[in-house]
Amino acid sequence: MLTFTLRRLASGIGLLIVISALAYTLLFFSSSSIARNILGDQATPEQIALKEAELGLDQPLLVRYLGWVGAALQGDLGRSWFNGEPVTETIQSRLPVTLVLMIVSIVLVAVFAAVLGVLAAVRRGWVDQTVQVGAVIGDAIPGFVLAIFLVTIFAVNLGWFPAVATIRPGAGAEAWIVSLTLPVIAIVVNYVTSSAQQIRSAVIKELEKDYVRTLRSRGLSEREIVLKNVLRSAAPAGLTVLSLQFIGLLGGVIILEQVFAIPGIGALAVNATVLSDIPLVMGVVIITVVIVMIVNLLVDIAQGALNPKVRLS
Amino acid sequence: MKSTTKLIGALAAGALLLSGCSAGGSDAGSGTSDGGDDATRGGTLTLGQLGDVVSWDPSQAHVGHQFVPYQLVYDTLVLREPDGELSPMLATEWSYNDDRTVLTLELRDDVEFSDGEPFDAEAVVANFEHFKAGNGRQAVQLTQYESATAVDEDTVEITLAQPDPAFEFYLSQAAGLMASPAAIEAGTLETDPVGTGPYLYDAGSSVRDSQSVFTAKEDYWNPDLQKFDSVELRILEDLSARANAIVSGQVDWTTLDARTADQAEGAGMQIIPDYQVDWTGVTFFDRDGAINPVLADVRVRQAINYAVDRETLLEQLQLGRGTATSQVFGPESGAFVDDLEDYYTYDPDMARELLAEAGYEDGLEITLPVIDGFATQITAIAQQLSEVGITVNQVSAVPADYVADAVQRKFEAFNFNLFQGEAWVAINQIIAPTATYNPFQTTAPELEELIPVVQEGGEGSEAAAQDINRYVTENAWFLPLYRIDQISVYDPETITVEAQIQSAMPSLYNFAPAE
């Protein structure tokens, strides 16, 4: 298990290097008038040249990238070109908001999906049909449409929730709960049916296997079979779907954060990209890649724990 | 089987209960987490802002929506009243010498910065030098500034290279914001504003690009300007987020567009009436034909002006919220000329005639850069121009580089919303050879003669400004479409607010708690 984990870590670091180099190169070519944008439309050519030198924009790409890597390895992601704040501080203040939103959502998705998926597989009939139809609808409605729908009804009309987030530094749990409830519901509704569908298929496949018949013939109750054996075998499929959904959410939350004005990393990414604030964009890219790596690693470890065969492959 | 169902049922019920709990809890909780708005309405002013300030350093201050945040923490030397009149603030009186190149300011002697530093003549000098060196977004305000001298503790003399009729106005804007010299020296203003203003910035409760929190300063020298216990700026870049926030009562004021305005009005919000600040339309940069020779012909530019149906565009694009016009100067600018309002009426035949005269009966092409916000407008213009044989090539542009590229002569023309300020301000923005939005530096002998007259100020100034207006309108330097109604929405239950002339957002001092 240890070598397995180390191997995954090594390949993750390789990926991180490749992605950071690619992102840096792409940003390099998309930021022609960055100095002028920072200084405003009245800036003189001399001022612009000075600013470019200050930001190192007059250096060749490779020199700039290596400089960035060197600092990043020491934990310094630089300062925003526009407001001068350290990138790591900005990310530290924004990341928890996004992570809480994502983790709470995905845990709820997992619970509901497991319940619905197992129910659909075991009971079949109308429960099954509802889950199937729900999967199609849930996939078809974009999260932000759902979000706008929810916000119109529950925030604007009924006033049960704030229409825009009230989270701030030092805000109590209450602010987090009322601010994140609608976005979480939007995500859960959007994602739960398709994962339920996956779990349902996996459970049905397991239920058809010989060992289930053997277990049944031994007189084990259906409940015991499903919860102890079938679910364990079907779990890897569910985990894979959930991890993919979690990674997909990294993109999905961007729009939700805009709609609800949630001070998370998604809204930050949009701002930084629009401004071509390279240090900030790179920071967001790196943290995103790291999150994806961690999620994949955790899923792999969980898969390995559930099914020893995975560790060998 | 039965027990499985029971278990699952219990789980589902538990989950529902949980979500029910949080929903119920929030109902009671939203009032407090909201900044206590419900309990102490009027105590907190919450503004739904379009974006955050780039820096709290006043040398980086901007105009309109971007200016109000600075008014919270900094005072200006001069106060601009809602109708544009200039009143004393940190400066109690001011006067020019005869050739209007030396301005003497008398200062208040009872004001301190929030770090305890005294506000005095030396502080004013330090701020001018800092603003000049900072080379920020409104650097143009100190173009004519040469030097400032402290005559005594509360008298400052400002020397200008040339007369600047807008200089006193600038002292009510970015160039007039006064920061603590100690903080300037320390270089910490970017994230930690220190001024003499009515409120103190609460960095601990603020999140960049999300919300900024301010609390009223004890013993502020002018309590009349301090109408709330605290102020919150909510940064709501998304239009629907702003609409939801104002309708649901989370902010007291915000700015919307024509489409969301109806929704807000339907929910009992009020829109400040007759509030026009920007004109929208096309600026022809390349009037000498460096990129596209067709634009050098005045008949082509006039033809374009005759070929658009302004009223229809206004109705379709802005739901009628605005005023169609053929001139780029606003009614309060001093350069406004009544009969230029409809100088170009919709007349496609006239347009075709002019094009034929210019030798383009087979049509011609112009190119416009397109960014998100203007895509619909440009398509509508292009559609109308195609009726008279003008093809508009729409080239997509990068929003962040739009102005920068314009300044660097990458476009022959562009579509924008431009500010309608005082005549002299507008001339320096769009007409003078040094103007930002005259990148090809086109000019004419008539203008060369008139511009200095406006600059002199005094009697002939207004007539000269009107002549400039007449010249650029007749020679079709622009394609003005209409003045846009500023959709400035507020909740009449919580606050009152008054328009600020020539500013996209009402001044901080125009907000007051509702009675």
Side-chain angles (χ1 to χ4, degrees):
Chain A
M1 196 71 196
L2 185 68
T3 40
F4 166 78
T5 309
L6 287 177
R7 219 167 48 218
R8 297 307 301 248
L9 265 178
S11 70
I13 289 166
L15 187 71
L16 197 59
I17 293 169
V18 173
I19 288 179
S20 72
L22 270 177
Y24 206 90
T25 312
L26 287 173
L27 287 166
F28 178 79
F29 288 110
S30 70
S31 59
S32 57
S33 42
I34 187 77
R36 179 175 287 278
N37 287 338
I38 293 169
L39 294 171
D41 51 20
Q42 323 272 359
T44 62
E46 296 78 41
Q47 284 287 334
I48 289 170
L50 208 66
K51 193 79 189 175
E52 281 176 345
E54 184 192 321
L55 299 176
L57 289 168
D58 51 349
Q59 310 255 354
L61 174 59
L62 192 64
V63 175
R64 289 172 56 190
Y65 174 65
L66 290 180
W68 179 85
V69 171
L73 285 177
Q74 294 163 36
D76 176 12
L77 291 173
R79 282 168 178 269
S80 156
W81 282 353
F82 280 82
N83 60 43
E85 281 185 4
V87 171
T88 45
E89 267 179 37
T90 310
I91 289 176
Q92 269 167 22
S93 79
R94 301 299 203 96
L95 193 60
V97 180
T98 303
L99 283 183
V100 167
L101 173 60
M102 288 173 65
I103 292 171
V104 169
S105 301
I106 219 73
V107 166
L108 287 175
V109 167
V111 170
F112 286 116
V115 170
L116 285 173
V118 170
L119 209 79
V122 175
R123 298 295 300 268
R124 308 301 282 262
W126 67 268
V127 184
D128 192 17
Q129 280 160 9
T130 312
V131 170
Q132 305 258 37
V133 172
V136 175
I137 297 173
D139 263 359
I141 302 175
F144 76 93
V145 172
L146 205 60
I148 290 171
F149 176 76
L150 289 171
V151 97
T152 308
I153 294 181
F154 295 105
V156 175
N157 289 336
L158 295 174
W160 292 356
F161 298 95
V164 293
T166 57
I167 303 168
R168 71 176 62 163
E174 208 172 64
W176 285 75
I177 292 171
V178 298
S179 295
L180 295 185
T181 300
L182 291 182
V184 165
I185 293 175
I187 295 171
V188 172
V189 172
N190 200 210
Y191 281 58
V192 77
T193 43
S194 63
S195 13
Q197 168 85 333
Q198 298 287 332
I199 291 169
R200 167 194 173 271
S201 310
V203 170
I204 287 176
K205 217 180 275 167
E206 288 301 317
L207 282 173
E208 283 163 359
K209 288 193 174 157
D210 288 345
Y211 78 90
V212 174
R213 207 178 324 144
T214 315
L215 290 173
R216 277 194 190 125
S217 69
R218 280 196 204 150
L220 264 73
S221 75
E222 195 72 19
R223 176 180 158 192
E224 261 177 293
I225 295 173
V226 169
L227 291 183
K228 280 189 182 159
N229 302 86
V230 171
L231 206 51
R232 185 184 167 110
S233 308
L239 268 179
T240 307
V241 175
L242 286 171
S243 69
L244 288 176
Q245 289 194 329
F246 189 82
I247 290 163
L249 256 185
L250 275 171
V253 293
I254 290 180
I255 295 168
L256 284 181
E257 287 183 5
Q258 296 272 91
V259 171
F260 291 98
I262 298 168
I265 202 105
L268 180 74
V270 173
N271 273 330
T273 313
V274 167
L275 291 171
S276 291
D277 194 339
I278 293 185
L280 202 45
V281 177
M282 285 305 294
V284 173
V285 168
I286 294 306
I287 205 70
T288 311
V289 175
V290 169
I291 291 172
V292 171
M293 279 167 44
I294 292 174
V295 169
N296 282 332
L297 189 65
L298 288 179
V299 169
D300 286 341
I301 292 172
Q303 304 274 37
L306 283 164
N307 183 358
K309 268 188 287 178
V310 176
R311 275 176 257 168
L312 299 172
S313 61
Chain B
M1 196 66 138
K2 258 192 179 156
S3 47
T4 315
T5 323
K6 262 187 200 160
L7 180 80
I8 292 167
L11 274 174
L16 278 174
L17 205 65
L18 270 177
S19 58
C21 277
S22 61
S26 77
D27 201 12
S30 60
T32 48
S33 55
D34 223 336
D37 274 358
D38 290 340
T40 52
R41 265 302 179 206
T44 300
L45 171 67
T46 312
L47 303 173
Q49 294 281 103
L50 285 168
D52 206 346
V53 298
V54 170
S55 160
W56 284 108
D57 185 334
S59 73
Q60 306 302 315
H62 208 18
V63 292
H65 295 279
Q66 286 278 307
F67 186 60
V68 173
Y70 295 95
Q71 291 183 321
L72 288 158
V73 280
Y74 299 107
D75 288 322
T76 41
L77 289 168
V78 171
L79 178 82
R80 196 162 198 241
E81 304 286 352
D83 64 0
E85 283 296 307
L86 298 175
S87 303
M89 198 165 181
L90 288 179
T92 51
E93 51 189 286
W94 52 92
S95 59
Y96 271 115
N97 66 345
D98 285 345
D99 66 357
R100 302 179 70 84
T101 54
V102 177
L103 180 67
T104 307
L105 302 177
E106 297 297 331
L107 308 173
R108 296 192 71 91
D109 56 8
D110 57 347
V111 178
E112 251 183 21
F113 290 100
S114 58
D115 60 359
E117 294 281 314
F119 168 75
D120 56 19
E122 291 296 344
V124 176
V125 174
N127 272 281
F128 279 124
E129 292 301 323
H130 175 65
F131 191 89
K132 189 83 178 172
N135 200 38
R137 278 154 203 265
Q138 289 298 309
V140 68
Q141 300 193 345
L142 288 194
T143 304
Q144 301 303 342
Y145 168 86
E146 237 179 27
S147 64
T149 329
V151 177
D152 58 44
E153 216 159 86
D154 38 34
T155 312
V156 178
E157 258 181 29
I158 301 161
T159 310
L160 303 180
Q162 293 174 53
D164 185 341
F167 197 81
E168 295 152 278
F169 160 68
Y170 291 146
L171 296 185
S172 73
Q173 302 294 306
L177 296 166
M178 292 292 122
S180 160
I184 292 176
E185 191 72 30
T188 51
L189 287 171
E190 208 163 76
T191 49
D192 182 16
V194 183
T196 64
Y199 299 90
L200 295 172
Y201 178 55
D202 180 356
S205 303
S206 303
V207 184
R208 187 166 277 285
D209 297 321
S210 175
Q211 58 202 340
S212 304
V213 180
F214 304 82
T215 47
K217 188 200 288 184
E218 297 291 322
D219 301 323
Y220 178 59
W221 64 271
N222 188 356
D224 288 349
L225 295 181
Q226 196 181 37
K227 297 182 185 121
F228 298 89
D229 298 330
S230 58
V231 178
E232 283 183 35
L233 305 180
R234 296 297 319 266
I235 314 303
L236 304 171
E237 291 186 37
D238 186 83
L239 176 64
S240 64
R242 289 201 299 279
N244 292 332
I246 184 94
V247 170
S248 68
Q250 269 188 284
V251 297
D252 301 308
W253 172 94
T254 196
T255 182
L256 298 177
D257 72 355
R259 277 163 220 288
T260 42
D262 291 347
Q263 183 201 343
E265 277 186 321
M269 300 300 130
Q270 274 180 23
I271 296 174
I272 302 178
D274 305 319
Y275 195 1
Q276 297 182 339
V277 176
D278 289 346
W279 65 276
T280 189
V282 174
T283 300
F284 302 116
F285 294 135
D286 190 18
R287 298 170 199 111
D288 292 336
I291 300 180
N292 187 354
V294 307
L295 286 179
D297 196 318
V298 63
R299 291 166 295 191
V300 170
R301 302 197 302 263
Q302 288 169 336
I304 293 173
N305 267 283
Y306 281 116
V308 296
D309 180 357
R310 293 172 169 80
E311 294 293 348
T312 303
L313 289 175
L314 176 61
E315 202 47 56
Q316 285 176 352
L317 300 169
Q318 193 66 17
L319 305 178
R321 290 183 189 265
T323 309
T325 183
S326 300
Q327 61 188 326
V328 295
F329 287 91
E332 297 98 359
S333 66
F336 188 79
V337 180
D338 255 337
D339 57 271
L340 290 180
E341 260 315 69
D342 48 7
Y343 187 83
Y344 296 103
T345 48
Y346 177 51
D347 191 345
D349 291 332
M350 176 74 109
R352 284 189 205 96
E353 233 170 79
L354 282 162
L355 289 175
E357 256 178 57
Y360 297 110
E361 50 274 277
D362 298 331
L364 56 81
E365 293 189 7
I366 60 170
T367 302
L368 285 179
V370 182
I371 55 172
D372 251 2
F374 296 115
T376 324
Q377 187 164 329
I378 291 171
T379 305
I381 295 171
Q383 214 275 319
Q384 297 194 342
L385 293 184
S386 71
E387 306 271 316
V388 300
I390 296 171
T391 309
V392 177
N393 297 319
Q394 301 187 36
V395 185
S396 87
V398 182
D401 296 344
Y402 198 54
V403 169
D405 285 350
V407 173
Q408 289 172 64
R409 307 186 178 196
K410 290 191 183 156
F411 309 138
E412 60 193 61
F414 86 161
N415 186 308
F416 213 35
N417 295 346
L418 285 163
F419 172 57
Q420 290 191 317
E422 298 289 303
W424 181 243
V425 176
I427 288 168
N428 277 306
Q429 192 183 21
I430 57 176
I431 292 171
T434 49
T436 304
Y437 297 108
N438 186 4
F440 291 86
Q441 298 166 342
T442 60
T443 186
E446 291 90 330
L447 295 176
E448 300 276 311
E449 224 168 88
L450 291 166
I451 290 174
V453 181
V454 179
Q455 181 172 13
E456 286 303 319
E459 263 177 44
S461 169
E462 189 156 312
Q466 288 172 359
D467 286 344
I468 289 173
N469 186 5
R470 199 174 289 282
Y471 179 87
V472 297
T473 306
E474 286 169 359
N475 286 280
W477 273 36
F478 308 92
L479 170 68
L481 298 177
Y482 45 81
R483 288 188 292 278
I484 307 165
D485 279 356
Q486 207 65 40
I487 312 289
S488 210
V489 191
Y490 66 100
D491 184 347
E493 303 267 308
T494 58
I495 60 165
T496 63
V497 54
E498 203 178 340
Q500 179 76 23
I501 194 176
Q502 296 166 345
S503 173
M505 181 173 172
S507 172
L508 168 69
Y509 321 116
N510 303 7
F511 291 89
E515 283 304 309

